[in-house]
PDB file of all heavy atoms in Angstrom:
ATOM      1  N   ALA A   4      -8.395 -14.211  -1.609  1.00  0.00           N
ATOM      2  CA  ALA A   4      -8.966 -13.619  -0.406  1.00  0.00           C
ATOM      3  C   ALA A   4     -10.320 -13.032  -0.776  1.00  0.00           C
ATOM      4  O   ALA A   4     -10.511 -12.529  -1.884  1.00  0.00           O
ATOM      5  CB  ALA A   4      -8.053 -12.536   0.169  1.00  0.00           C
ATOM      6  N   ARG A   5     -11.275 -13.080   0.137  1.00  0.00           N
ATOM      7  CA  ARG A   5     -12.590 -12.568  -0.193  1.00  0.00           C
ATOM      8  C   ARG A   5     -12.520 -11.056  -0.352  1.00  0.00           C
ATOM      9  O   ARG A   5     -11.882 -10.357   0.437  1.00  0.00           O
ATOM     10  CB  ARG A   5     -13.591 -12.954   0.896  1.00  0.00           C
ATOM     11  CG  ARG A   5     -13.235 -12.451   2.287  1.00  0.00           C
ATOM     12  CD  ARG A   5     -14.298 -12.854   3.296  1.00  0.00           C
ATOM     13  NE  ARG A   5     -14.025 -12.356   4.620  1.00  0.00           N
ATOM     14  CZ  ARG A   5     -13.250 -12.936   5.491  1.00  0.00           C
ATOM     15  NH1 ARG A   5     -12.655 -14.071   5.164  1.00  0.00           N
ATOM     16  NH2 ARG A   5     -13.051 -12.411   6.692  1.00  0.00           N
ATOM     17  N   PRO A   6     -13.133 -10.505  -1.396  1.00  0.00           N
ATOM     18  CA  PRO A   6     -13.080  -9.067  -1.599  1.00  0.00           C
ATOM     19  C   PRO A   6     -13.823  -8.335  -0.502  1.00  0.00           C
ATOM     20  O   PRO A   6     -14.805  -8.816   0.059  1.00  0.00           O
ATOM     21  CB  PRO A   6     -13.750  -8.889  -2.967  1.00  0.00           C
ATOM     22  CG  PRO A   6     -14.604 -10.111  -3.127  1.00  0.00           C
ATOM     23  CD  PRO A   6     -13.899 -11.206  -2.420  1.00  0.00           C
ATOM     24  N   ALA A   7     -13.367  -7.159  -0.190  1.00  0.00           N
ATOM     25  CA  ALA A   7     -13.986  -6.353   0.852  1.00  0.00           C
ATOM     26  C   ALA A   7     -13.755  -4.894   0.530  1.00  0.00           C
ATOM     27  O   ALA A   7     -12.767  -4.517  -0.105  1.00  0.00           O
ATOM     28  CB  ALA A   7     -13.395  -6.682   2.226  1.00  0.00           C
ATOM     29  N   LEU A   8     -14.692  -4.052   0.971  1.00  0.00           N
ATOM     30  CA  LEU A   8     -14.495  -2.619   0.797  1.00  0.00           C
ATOM     31  C   LEU A   8     -13.349  -2.113   1.643  1.00  0.00           C
ATOM     32  O   LEU A   8     -12.654  -1.174   1.286  1.00  0.00           O
ATOM     33  CB  LEU A   8     -15.790  -1.878   1.153  1.00  0.00           C
ATOM     34  CG  LEU A   8     -17.000  -2.174   0.252  1.00  0.00           C
ATOM     35  CD1 LEU A   8     -18.210  -1.434   0.744  1.00  0.00           C
ATOM     36  CD2 LEU A   8     -16.670  -1.806  -1.190  1.00  0.00           C
ATOM     37  N   ARG A   9     -13.141  -2.745   2.763  1.00  0.00           N
ATOM     38  CA  ARG A   9     -12.055  -2.325   3.653  1.00  0.00           C
ATOM     39  C   ARG A   9     -11.748  -3.456   4.596  1.00  0.00           C
ATOM     40  O   ARG A   9     -12.650  -4.121   5.106  1.00  0.00           O
ATOM     41  CB  ARG A   9     -12.454  -1.070   4.443  1.00  0.00           C
ATOM     42  CG  ARG A   9     -11.327  -0.518   5.301  1.00  0.00           C
ATOM     43  CD  ARG A   9     -10.160  -0.112   4.445  1.00  0.00           C
ATOM     44  NE  ARG A   9      -8.977   0.074   5.235  1.00  0.00           N
ATOM     45  CZ  ARG A   9      -7.778   0.212   4.714  1.00  0.00           C
ATOM     46  NH1 ARG A   9      -7.618   0.203   3.428  1.00  0.00           N
ATOM     47  NH2 ARG A   9      -6.723   0.371   5.484  1.00  0.00           N
ATOM     48  N   ARG A  10     -10.500  -3.713   4.837  1.00  0.00           N
ATOM     49  CA  ARG A  10     -10.132  -4.752   5.795  1.00  0.00           C
ATOM     50  C   ARG A  10     -10.281  -4.242   7.214  1.00  0.00           C
ATOM     51  O   ARG A  10     -10.051  -3.064   7.484  1.00  0.00           O
ATOM     52  CB  ARG A  10      -8.681  -5.184   5.591  1.00  0.00           C
ATOM     53  CG  ARG A  10      -8.449  -5.887   4.269  1.00  0.00           C
ATOM     54  CD  ARG A  10      -7.928  -4.958   3.236  1.00  0.00           C
ATOM     55  NE  ARG A  10      -6.692  -4.347   3.680  1.00  0.00           N
ATOM     56  CZ  ARG A  10      -6.402  -3.077   3.451  1.00  0.00           C
ATOM     57  NH1 ARG A  10      -7.246  -2.299   2.828  1.00  0.00           N
ATOM     58  NH2 ARG A  10      -5.253  -2.570   3.858  1.00  0.00           N
ATOM     59  N   PRO A  11     -10.629  -5.092   8.157  1.00  0.00           N
ATOM     60  CA  PRO A  11     -10.699  -4.633   9.548  1.00  0.00           C
ATOM     61  C   PRO A  11      -9.308  -4.308  10.072  1.00  0.00           C
ATOM     62  O   PRO A  11      -8.325  -4.929   9.714  1.00  0.00           O
ATOM     63  CB  PRO A  11     -11.288  -5.850  10.281  1.00  0.00           C
ATOM     64  CG  PRO A  11     -10.899  -7.010   9.430  1.00  0.00           C
ATOM     65  CD  PRO A  11     -10.957  -6.517   8.020  1.00  0.00           C
ATOM     66  N   ALA A  12      -9.229  -3.300  10.913  1.00  0.00           N
ATOM     67  CA  ALA A  12      -7.941  -2.927  11.494  1.00  0.00           C
ATOM     68  C   ALA A  12      -7.655  -3.795  12.706  1.00  0.00           C
ATOM     69  O   ALA A  12      -8.550  -4.253  13.404  1.00  0.00           O
ATOM     70  CB  ALA A  12      -7.948  -1.459  11.901  1.00  0.00           C
ATOM     71  N   VAL A  13      -6.399  -4.020  12.964  1.00  0.00           N
ATOM     72  CA  VAL A  13      -5.958  -4.760  14.132  1.00  0.00           C
ATOM     73  C   VAL A  13      -5.407  -3.751  15.126  1.00  0.00           C
ATOM     74  O   VAL A  13      -4.449  -3.034  14.816  1.00  0.00           O
ATOM     75  CB  VAL A  13      -4.874  -5.786  13.775  1.00  0.00           C
ATOM     76  CG1 VAL A  13      -4.363  -6.466  15.019  1.00  0.00           C
ATOM     77  CG2 VAL A  13      -5.446  -6.827  12.807  1.00  0.00           C
TER      78      VAL A  13
END
Side-chain angles (χ1 to χ4, degrees):
R5 59 179 182 276
L8 296 178
R9 185 61 195 168
R10 294 97 58 219
V13 176

